[in-house]
């Protein structure tokens, strides 16, 4: 039995069929361009919907060449914790609270070191 085993073959991980007669799915190559002139080429399936913008490998936003410019949405900017805090308190109030808390912390540390 052991003399009939397939040695060196990973069964199930490799196909025994040849690629003869197999045609890949139709594709299209699309060009994007960054504002600094960097060109980005992306391959999509022929029936795929092409996005108007693409992020290049360098992290820059590229626009579709010969495409429509994207319309900016009515999205709100992301609110940070600092933005929400400033809605409730003024900078002067925050500075006063910080000073009070630091004084309280220093008093506690002074009591602990003296005890």
């Amino acid at each position: 039995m052991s003399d009939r085993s397939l040695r060196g073959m990973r069964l199930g991980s490799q196909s025994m069929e040849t690629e003869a007669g197999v045609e890949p799915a139709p594709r299209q190559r699309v060009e994007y361009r960054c504002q600094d002139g960097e060109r980005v080429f992306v391959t999509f399936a022929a029936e795929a919907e092409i996005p108007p913008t693409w992020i290049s490998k360098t992290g820059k936003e590229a626009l579709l060449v010969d495409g429509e410019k994207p319309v900016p949405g009515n999205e709100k900017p992301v609110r940070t914790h600092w933005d929400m805090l400033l809605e409730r308190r003024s900078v002067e109030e925050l500075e006063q609270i910080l000073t009070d808390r630091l004084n309280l912390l220093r008093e506690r540390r002074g009591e602990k070191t003296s005890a």
Side-chain angles (χ1 to χ4, degrees), residues 9 14-22:
M9 188 66 182
Q14 293 178 335
S15 173
M16 302 298 278
E17 295 182 20
T18 65
E19 293 188 18
V22 176

Side-chain angles (χ1 to χ4, degrees), residues 45 71 79:
V71 177
R79 286 176 43 198

Side-chain angles (χ1 to χ4, degrees), residues 56-96:
S56 70
K57 290 181 181 180
T58 57
K60 296 180 253 178
E61 186 177 33
L63 295 175
L64 181 63
V65 174
D66 298 330
E68 295 179 11
K69 299 212 179 210
V71 177
N74 292 335
E75 298 175 6
K76 290 182 177 179
V78 178
R79 286 176 43 198
T80 63
H81 292 290
W82 179 249
D83 294 332
M84 289 185 269
L85 186 62
L86 288 178
E87 290 175 4
R88 296 189 308 265
R89 307 221 187 244
S90 68
V91 175
E92 293 79 22
E93 287 177 307
L94 292 172
E95 287 175 352
Q96 182 60 44

